[in-house]
């Protein structure tokens, strides 16, 4: 009888979890010997993301000509990209340089919260920017009356609150799980499903919420963005002036480039988690690492090249520095 009670207590102990243990992040499976070499381009791309987005934020803050709704949303995108990269990349570089690293359970939850929240917020910002371009091109005379400063603040607060509310349950879904087996994560950072798979309990709720709710939210954003740009293109090709058409298409071109850079790797990573059983784990995690640095690094470059106002201000900024 005592033996049965002892076994029962041990079972209960093994299935309980006080979340006091640390997790170990291994890095990219199968490429451990190449971590130092991978870190070189990775570090430079991260620095490019930091510098590019910081310059973008500085120009938008100091130049009154850039105090417009489009550039306000662009500054939100730059800040979110900085959060996305900085949440994961410093730890990733530490793994590349020093080997597998430990991370506490609260630290892991914090990292994955900001990672996923930044992703959902990025998607919402791209939708807000698409709406801004739709109003600017399809209803230019009503632009200032529709996108007033008060409306812009409401949109910014609304999309930020939406992202927070969508991702916060993920944290609680993970805290309820017992981790009585391995705490080794074959990745460079914590993300929801990757951590949940280490639990010794049913994670069906985690899988369906983690895959269903954020994906459905992002897909709805993609559909609305597609509708916005369809209406924009229809309006652009009705413009009588060829120069006006060229200018409108040039402005929207930067947005479309950023949208493709953001959604393509993001959807691949998410779908590979759920359905990509034949996708190499090494390739999946390497691709996931590129996703957190390449779009944030390329966004300022794309906008700097495609958007005349920003391009002119960047040239003026560096020409002024050179003459000092």
């Amino acid at each position: 009888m005592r033996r049965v009670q002892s076994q029962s207590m041990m079972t209960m102990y093994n299935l309980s979890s006080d979340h006091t243990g640390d997790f170990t992040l291994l890095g990219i499976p199968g490429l451990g010997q190449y971590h130092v070499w991978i870190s070189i381009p990775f570090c430079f791309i991260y620095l490019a993301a930091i510098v590019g987005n910081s310059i973008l934020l500085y120009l938008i803050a100091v130049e009154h000509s850039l105090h417009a709704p489009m550039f306000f949303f662009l500054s939100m995108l730059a800040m979110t990209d900085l959060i996305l990269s900085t949440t994961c990349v410093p730890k990733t570089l530490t793994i590349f340089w020093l080997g597998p690293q430990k991370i506490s359970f609260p630290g892991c939850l914090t990292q994955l919260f900001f990672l996923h929240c930044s992703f959902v917020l990025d998607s919402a910002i791209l939708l807000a920017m698409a709406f801004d371009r739709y109003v600017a091109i399809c209803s230019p005379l009503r632009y200032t009356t529709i996108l007033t400063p008060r409306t812009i603040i409401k949109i910014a607060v609304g999309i930020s609150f939406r992202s927070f509310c969508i991702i916060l349950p993920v944290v609680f879904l993970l805290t309820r799980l017992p981790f009585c087996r391995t705490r080794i994560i074959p990745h460079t950072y914590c993300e929801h499903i990757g951590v949940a798979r280490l639990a010794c309990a049913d994670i069906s709720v985690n899988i369906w919420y983690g895959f269903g709710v954020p994906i459905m939210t992002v897909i709805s954003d993609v559909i609305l963005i597609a509708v916005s740009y369809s209406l924009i293109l229809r309006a652009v090709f009705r413009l009588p002036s060829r120069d006006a058409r060229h200018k409108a298409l040039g402005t929207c071109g930067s947005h479309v480039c950023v949208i493709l850079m953001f959604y393509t790797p993001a959807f691949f990573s998410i779908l590979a988690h759920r359905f990509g059983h034949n996708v190499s784990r090494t390739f999946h995690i390497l691709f996931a690492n590129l996703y957190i640095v390449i779009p944030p690094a390329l966004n300022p470059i794309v906008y700097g090249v495609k958007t005349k106002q920003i391009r002119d201000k960047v040239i003026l900024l560096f020409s002024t520095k050179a003459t000092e």
Side-chain angles (χ1 to χ4, degrees), residues 10-197:
M10 285 296 293
T11 303
M12 290 176 62
Y13 176 78
N14 286 336
L15 290 176
S16 67
S17 179
D18 56 8
H19 302 129
T20 56
D22 293 338
F23 290 93
T24 301
L25 295 166
L26 289 185
I28 303 175
L31 296 179
Q33 66 271 33
Y34 303 111
H35 275 176
V36 173
W37 297 106
I38 295 171
S39 71
I40 296 172
F42 203 79
C43 183
F44 280 111
I45 296 171
Y46 175 60
L47 290 175
I50 296 293
V51 173
N53 285 291
S54 298
I55 291 173
L56 204 57
L57 288 169
Y58 172 76
L59 289 174
I60 293 171
V62 301
E63 294 292 339
H64 292 285
S65 61
L66 299 180
H67 292 177
M70 183 181 81
F71 298 109
F72 175 78
F73 292 131
L74 181 54
S75 67
M76 284 189 67
L77 185 68
M79 285 189 287
T80 307
D81 282 343
L82 286 174
I83 294 170
L84 174 65
S85 292
T86 306
T87 296
C88 301
V89 176
K91 191 74 173 180
T92 298
L93 289 174
T94 305
I95 295 168
F96 287 162
W97 291 334
L98 303 177
Q101 296 292 305
K102 291 188 179 296
I103 185 170
S104 66
F105 185 70
C108 194
L109 291 180
T110 302
Q111 187 181 61
L112 68 87
F113 172 80
F114 281 105
L115 169 68
H116 296 308
C117 194
S118 298
F119 168 69
V120 177
L121 183 55
D122 261 345
S123 178
I125 293 169
L126 292 174
L127 175 59
M129 295 175 75
F131 175 69
D132 169 82
R133 289 301 84 200
Y134 166 75
V135 177
I137 293 172
C138 298
S139 301
L141 299 179
R142 300 176 56 203
Y143 182 79
T144 54
T145 57
I146 294 175
L147 286 172
T148 61
R150 188 172 182 177
T151 302
I152 294 166
I153 291 172
K154 285 181 179 179
I155 292 173
V157 172
I159 61 179
S160 301
F161 185 69
R162 187 194 75 158
S163 304
F164 177 83
C165 291
I166 288 171
I167 301 303
L168 186 62
V170 168
V171 175
F172 292 105
L173 287 173
L174 285 173
T175 55
R176 73 182 180 86
L177 294 175
F179 295 95
C180 53
R181 294 197 295 259
T182 179
R183 288 175 174 261
I184 297 174
I185 303 174
H187 209 312
T188 56
Y189 55 82
C190 296
E191 50 84 35
H192 176 211
I193 301 301
V195 175
R197 290 190 192 282

